Amino acid sequence: MTKDLNFFNTLSNKKEKFHPINNNNVGMYVCGPTVYDFPHIGNARPLVVFDILFRLLQSLYGKEKIKYVRNITDIDDKIIESAKKNKKSIKELTETITKSFHEDCRYLNCLKPTFEPKATEHIKEMINMISNLLKNKNAYEKEKHVYFSVSSFKKYGRLSNKDSDELIAGSRVEVSKYKKDPLDFVLWKPSDEKDPGWESPWGRGRPGWHLECSVMSEKFLGKQFDIHGGGLDLVFPHHENEIAQSCCANKTENFANYWLHNGFVTFDKEKMSKSLGNIVKINTLSKTVNGQVVRLALLSSHYKQPLDWNEKLLKESQNTLDKWYNQFQEIKPEKLNDEVLKPLQEDLNTPKYIAKLHSLYEDSSKGNKSSKVKFLSACRQIGLLEESKQSWEKFKKSKLNVDENFIKIKIKDRNEARKKGDYKLADNLRKELENKGVIIEDKQDKTTWKYK
Ligand SMILES: [Zn+2]
């Protein structure tokens, strides 16, 4: 039975009805993190967006019928550079960042993907794919490098809907004296002695970044599968290259049938960048904001649209959840009908779904038990209100409205009041902090503080 589900497919550049290859085995691949630095809010968006899709597919087709694969890139030039800069071993760096990434996923209440393969565990398969590409004359070897020959794949540029000249003009293409064509991209390159490397028919080296997704999607989902997702910045060159590699190595017409891409995240209307110093790391955010607030904020715009991250957005999400938690109770979630799920089935329209939640909340507050279960089940569909009210309140009390500056100012005011002998004021200030979950202690001439 075909479900009523429609996606905007980047490949066809239009909204299409979703027809899985096999209703009993639906496959989705999403490009995961390169573990060289702590994930930021821009990285959180695809995590949450594709978690919504994963949950929706599970609801429509059955939990056990969806395979969701999200890789971990644990070998890459960025990792090698970052390890050198931070004077850490590759292993130490990638393990630390992977651990932090998993903590971020839990914080954002994302379900675990069915498989989470690592690039370094698939080098043999990558070497096999390169050998196939060389055999099929889609690749060439030069000075221990192997390049994919873009001109050998006629459909190159189909996903971005651009021809070769437009692609070259619109992007920073890596320059190399060994390439025959500027769009050609590296499949294998030699490694310095000190850098990580594996033996191959082309000498000791390491794979190019694009290759791993072609290899790992094939391993877990087959040569052709249903959905491929990622951020908009991956369309070119990463996803174009994945298509080229997979179709040429496997001699198939198609790779993934539906391509979904999420838009960028800006910070106060500015692009997030290291040089502007405005990158919001998830593990910083998690110290003061409940993960559900971040999740709701990320879903407040349609996934294809840009999303602006700012204090107002967080405050609004916080207020909404505070209100919704008034209706919280432990329930056994009910199966949602199409009428409720419809906005999600229409290309994951989360703003419309959130509007629906507001109206379900209104019904629920009128006191009827079945409307309450419906509202709470609908919240859970997108991973909200799964945390108990007690834990929600506790987090809020201990962390939310108190930033460190506020605490420092209150301590300073209190110490000044004590100096002046105004013990009543000093005591009130202490109580004010305590009400916000902050305990202060006086040790000799120093005042320290901690969360309750
Ligand atoms: Zn990928």
Side-chain angles (χ1 to χ4, degrees):
M1 192 186 64
T2 311
K3 314 281 177 189
D4 195 9
L5 185 55
N6 298 286
F7 298 132
F8 184 90
N9 187 353
T10 312
L11 193 60
S12 61
N13 204 21
K14 60 173 194 261
K15 202 146 125 184
E16 283 179 30
K17 200 172 179 79
F18 177 60
H19 296 287
I21 299 168
N22 177 352
N23 270 331
N24 292 315
N25 189 8
V26 180
M28 168 163 93
Y29 187 95
V30 176
C31 297
T34 300
V35 285
Y36 74 104
D37 197 0
F38 296 103
H40 54 76
I41 198 69
N43 307 123
R45 195 174 190 195
L47 287 177
V48 171
V49 163
F50 292 105
D51 182 66
I52 296 294
L53 179 53
F54 185 36
R55 288 171 188 256
L56 178 66
L57 292 169
Q58 286 187 332
S59 298
L60 296 176
Y61 292 89
K63 253 188 184 154
E64 67 294 347
K65 294 185 176 163
I66 315 299
K67 270 191 203 150
Y68 172 21
V69 184
R70 189 183 60 213
N71 65 308
I72 291 202
T73 302
D74 56 351
I75 175 68
D76 185 80
D77 289 357
K78 282 187 198 156
I79 294 175
I80 298 174
E81 278 166 34
S82 172
K84 279 179 191 161
K85 209 173 103 193
N86 295 300
K87 297 193 171 54
K88 282 192 169 148
S89 71
I90 301 274
K91 189 170 179 282
E92 198 185 342
L93 175 71
T94 56
E95 281 179 3
T96 307
I97 305 291
T98 303
K99 190 168 163 264
S100 176
F101 169 72
H102 285 147
E103 277 161 14
D104 293 346
C105 290
R106 277 194 296 278
Y107 164 68
L108 294 166
N109 197 24
C110 293
L111 300 176
K112 276 188 184 163
T114 326
F115 300 103
E116 197 178 47
K118 287 182 180 155
T120 51
E121 289 167 3
H122 295 84
I123 303 289
K124 204 176 91 209
E125 290 92 333
M126 290 195 232
I127 291 174
N128 284 342
M129 188 173 265
I130 300 174
S131 303
N132 268 342
L133 289 168
L134 282 164
K135 197 172 74 200
N136 296 348
K137 305 256 178 302
N138 296 109
Y140 55 91
E141 188 191 350
K142 188 101 196 233
E143 303 289 330
K144 297 181 177 172
H145 291 71
V146 184
Y147 284 98
F148 184 91
S149 165
V150 165
S151 62
S152 74
F153 181 59
K154 295 287 163 278
K155 286 183 189 163
Y156 197 84
R158 201 177 127 199
L159 187 68
S160 4
N161 210 5
K162 286 185 176 135
D163 65 24
S164 305
D165 290 341
E166 286 174 296
L167 287 175
I168 296 170
S171 71
R172 281 187 306 177
V173 179
E174 190 202 346
V175 183
S176 160
K177 59 183 173 183
Y178 305 128
K179 281 190 196 177
K180 289 183 185 164
D181 186 295
L183 282 180
D184 291 352
F185 57 90
V186 75
L187 298 168
W188 190 263
K189 59 180 162 191
S191 281
D192 282 350
E193 234 168 72
K194 280 176 267 151
D195 292 340
W198 291 262
E199 289 309 324
S200 82
W202 320 286
R204 185 178 176 278
R206 59 185 193 270
W209 167 45
H210 313 296
L211 195 62
E212 65 182 89
C213 293
S214 282
V215 160
M216 296 193 277
S217 60
E218 183 193 340
K219 177 168 173 183
F220 294 97
L221 301 174
K223 290 180 177 18
Q224 286 188 48
F225 57 93
D226 299 305
I227 300 169
H228 196 313
L232 196 59
D233 53 330
L234 297 181
V235 174
F236 174 79
H238 185 55
H239 289 162
E240 287 288 359
N241 295 354
E242 282 186 33
I243 297 174
Q245 292 161 161
S246 292
C247 288
C248 293
N250 300 329
K251 298 197 169 165
T252 47
E253 277 299 306
N254 283 314
F255 174 45
N257 291 333
Y258 300 84
W259 289 80
L260 274 70
H261 292 100
N262 65 273
F264 297 113
V265 179
T266 52
F267 181 76
D268 270 336
K269 301 271 159 56
E270 280 193 283
K271 193 175 183 275
M272 269 196 258
S273 73
K274 265 204 177 128
S275 55
L276 287 172
N278 61 356
I279 295 178
V280 184
K281 294 276 166 70
I282 308 173
N283 63 1
T284 311
L285 210 51
S286 65
K287 291 195 174 88
T288 50
V289 184
N290 184 297
Q292 293 187 81
V293 176
V294 178
R295 192 172 168 96
L296 180 61
L298 286 168
L299 296 173
S300 62
S301 297
H302 187 256
Y303 75 93
K304 282 185 70 59
Q305 300 302 318
L307 172 80
D308 190 50
W309 193 257
N310 53 59
E311 277 301 314
K312 188 168 161 265
L313 175 67
L314 275 181
K315 195 85 205 141
E316 280 168 3
S317 302
Q318 173 71 41
N319 291 342
T320 298
L321 285 161
D322 263 338
K323 191 174 86 172
W324 288 355
Y325 258 102
N326 289 330
Q327 287 299 306
F328 182 87
Q329 70 181 47
E330 296 296 342
I331 53 146
K332 192 171 170 287
E334 66 173 26
K335 195 168 164 43
L336 296 166
N337 59 31
D338 282 2
E339 197 262 323
V340 176
L341 287 179
K342 195 148 188 44
L344 294 180
Q345 292 177 213
E346 276 303 314
D347 200 26
L348 300 183
N349 193 332
T350 51
K352 233 178 174 174
Y353 189 79
I354 292 167
K356 180 130 230 154
L357 289 177
H358 280 292
S359 92
L360 291 175
Y361 169 81
E362 293 304 324
D363 295 346
S364 175
S365 356
K366 284 174 194 146
N368 161 337
K369 167 101 187 131
S370 75
S371 56
K372 186 178 250 192
V373 173
K374 193 174 182 183
F375 165 67
L376 292 169
S377 306
C379 287
R380 286 177 166 223
Q381 175 68 41
I382 57 167
L384 297 174
L385 273 70
E386 290 186 319
E387 180 184 337
S388 73
K389 188 170 183 173
Q390 200 187 11
S391 138
W392 165 260
E393 295 284 346
K394 199 175 159 199
F395 188 97
K396 206 176 77 178
K397 204 172 167 195
S398 67
K399 309 212 175 128
L400 195 76
N401 294 316
V402 226
D403 72 27
E404 291 189 14
N405 270 337
F406 174 85
I407 299 169
K408 279 179 195 156
I409 290 166
K410 292 289 164 187
I411 291 178
K412 198 169 153 253
D413 290 351
R414 177 175 166 268
N415 286 341
E416 272 167 22
R418 287 169 80 206
K419 252 186 230 161
K420 285 183 200 152
D422 190 348
Y423 294 106
K424 194 162 178 239
L425 175 63
D427 205 38
N428 284 343
L429 288 163
R430 184 186 56 77
K431 277 185 194 149
E432 188 184 343
L433 284 171
E434 204 175 313
N435 285 338
K436 289 185 182 292
V438 177
I439 308 277
I440 50 176
E441 275 171 40
D442 300 307
K443 278 180 196 157
Q444 286 143 6
D445 57 347
K446 230 182 149 206
T447 308
T448 58
W449 65 271
K450 64 178 185 195
Y451 288 122
K452 236 192 245 180

